[in-house]
Amino acid sequence: MRYCFFRMGLDHPGVQEWFGGMYESMFAALRRCGHDVILSLDAPDVSCDVLVVPMGGGQDRTTARAMAAFPGPVVVYAPSARSWFRTDYLRRWRDRLVLAYGTDASDFSAESYASLGIPYLHLPFASDPEVMHPLDVETCHDVVFVGNANSGTGRYRFIDELVGRVGKERLLLIGPGWERYDVHPRSMAWGPDLNKVYAQSRVCVNLHNDEQCLGGDVQEDANNRLFDLAMAGRPQVSNAPLVVERYFAPDEVLAYSDPGEWADAVERLLQDPVAASSLGMAARTRALRDHTWDARARVLSEAISNAVGVSAGATRGGWSVMRMRDTLLPPYSSGELVAKVARRLRRVMGRGTVIR
């Protein structure tokens, strides 16, 4: 089967930097499953059997244009339904949509898509053992966290606690938003250099945003770092234990919801390198068994094949004025637009930014 992945946000330089390498690993895994994979940043390749499109994050209009240009079945890569679920928009394109998949494990996402007759596949992130793996290098950092402080709420609580315990000079923070700790904002692309930074650290910490761990009935969304640190064989202390326990046992990844307990665990591992090494190797063993992109590719390709098979021969809806509207305008009602602008203004004012 021939898949055309449309943009997937990779036309944005920041997304390309962080997620581009991961998509390359995923595409390579799908090819090993026997599929042809094309990434299109412009127009979809109409010679493909299936179009895969992203939803949410301001991409709905360009996604509608891609679906309008593509004659075949469409698979949706979706954020959590709590973050994005446009009922009217999805209903207008329902006859084209054979499957939705995403990293959110909550019942809410599955039930939201089921309400429109669209099957939903929980497909968590994974990692690539050819990129993330143990290295025989000297450790030069005590604790490292590579991540964005601005991508959601809750991370400062944990970092504040840790800085109070070990001091900011023992903590390497890489990413935007850490200026309060005198850290110059910078980013690091996913790939071998990131793996080296992990390998040079005695303990690696992982933080999910509050929004990612609201519970199995609302949103439960493991980040990619959980799997990358495990695949790299690094001792990892994470927050969001209810999220982590879906994928790793307590003797593979330590996880605590309380910042004090979380920082306690970091200190224990710093004092016990043997236990830290054992934790990291156990996590890698689990990641190699269950959380490779090859494993995810097998699940996704089977789900797509089944969904396309079920939809074969289904009647496709014709063109409509409202579908044309989706290709020209964002799919928001006037009330939603007012609320969206108000939220944006509150965020800007909260940062103390002058609105011009």
Side-chain angles (χ1 to χ4, degrees):
M1 192 173 289
R2 201 159 185 243
Y3 302 147
C4 177
F5 283 78
F6 178 70
R7 291 196 177 180
M8 310 307 289
L10 299 176
D11 53 319
H12 186 284
V15 177
Q16 170 62 40
E17 180 179 42
W18 185 248
F19 290 101
M22 282 186 278
Y23 268 107
E24 289 176 8
S25 293
M26 178 184 176
F27 294 160
L30 285 168
R31 292 184 183 107
R32 288 192 289 272
C33 288
H35 303 289
D36 189 10
V37 179
I38 294 171
L39 172 65
S40 173
L41 299 181
D42 297 315
D45 186 334
V46 297
S47 70
C48 290
D49 301 300
V50 176
L51 176 67
V52 184
V53 296
M55 292 290 187
Q59 301 173 99
D60 307 331
R61 182 167 35 186
T62 53
T63 287
R65 292 172 181 169
M67 291 191 294
F70 189 78
V74 176
V75 172
V76 173
Y77 176 53
S80 71
R82 175 186 168 275
S83 303
W84 183 95
F85 190 82
R86 308 246 56 87
T87 303
D88 291 343
Y89 177 93
L90 291 167
R91 188 176 286 125
R92 286 194 289 274
W93 296 93
R94 169 64 191 93
D95 64 292
R96 305 289 308 285
L97 308 179
V98 299
L99 177 70
Y101 77 94
T103 58
D104 180 32
S106 75
D107 294 335
F108 186 62
S109 284
E111 291 167 359
S112 296
Y113 282 94
S115 70
L116 298 179
I118 302 171
Y120 176 82
L121 171 68
H122 165 227
L123 192 79
F125 284 110
S127 193
D128 186 340
E130 297 299 317
V131 178
M132 296 293 169
H133 52 81
L135 294 175
D136 185 15
V137 295
E138 182 179 356
T139 56
C140 51
H141 313 295
D142 284 330
V143 185
V144 68
F145 177 68
V146 182
N148 187 348
N150 300 325
S151 61
T153 61
R155 291 180 174 177
Y156 288 132
R157 294 196 309 272
F158 291 86
I159 297 299
D160 283 347
E161 181 72 26
L162 189 58
V163 168
R165 300 287 191 92
V166 305
K168 62 184 179 182
E169 66 279 354
R170 298 180 66 188
L171 175 60
L172 176 65
L173 293 169
I174 298 177
W178 303 112
E179 289 85 352
R180 66 161 71 176
Y181 308 109
D182 300 321
V183 175
H184 182 72
R186 57 176 173 151
S187 60
M188 174 167 284
W190 185 90
D193 289 343
L194 178 61
N195 183 56
K196 185 175 182 180
V197 168
Y198 289 155
Q200 291 174 329
S201 306
R202 295 173 62 196
V203 176
C204 296
V205 295
N206 183 22
L207 292 171
H208 295 81
N209 298 324
D210 288 342
E211 297 86 348
Q212 293 176 297
C213 44
L214 296 174
D217 57 339
V218 181
Q219 183 174 345
E220 210 163 75
D221 207 346
N223 59 33
N224 58 288
R225 196 165 31 251
L226 174 66
F227 304 102
D228 284 335
L229 289 174
M231 191 65 77
R234 305 312 300 148
Q236 176 181 178
V237 183
S238 179
N239 67 341
L242 293 180
V243 174
V244 172
E245 69 183 16
R246 283 182 175 271
Y247 312 101
F248 294 96
D251 60 350
E252 296 166 341
V253 174
L254 302 181
Y256 302 89
S257 57
D258 177 75
E261 294 180 327
W262 179 85
D264 285 343
V266 174
E267 289 189 294
R268 287 197 303 271
L269 291 180
L270 287 173
Q271 295 164 9
D272 191 344
V274 174
S277 177
S278 177
L279 186 75
M281 288 301 100
R284 177 168 169 81
T285 298
R286 179 66 174 271
L288 285 168
R289 189 186 79 193
D290 295 340
H291 303 308
T292 64
W293 281 116
D294 283 306
R296 300 289 190 262
R298 289 191 292 270
V299 172
L300 179 60
S301 62
E302 181 179 359
I304 291 176
S305 295
N306 290 340
V308 170
V310 168
S311 70
T315 302
R316 306 290 183 193
W319 190 245
S320 70
V321 172
M322 291 306 294
R323 280 189 176 181
M324 181 181 292
R325 176 206 181 281
D326 292 338
T327 68
L328 300 173
L329 299 171
Y332 301 110
S333 67
S334 58
E336 288 174 322
L337 281 172
V338 170
K340 187 178 179 69
V341 170
R343 288 195 300 271
R344 175 66 176 171
L345 287 174
R346 284 196 296 269
R347 285 198 297 270
V348 171
M349 295 299 289
R351 294 174 186 153
T353 303
V354 177
I355 302 174
R356 301 185 185 277

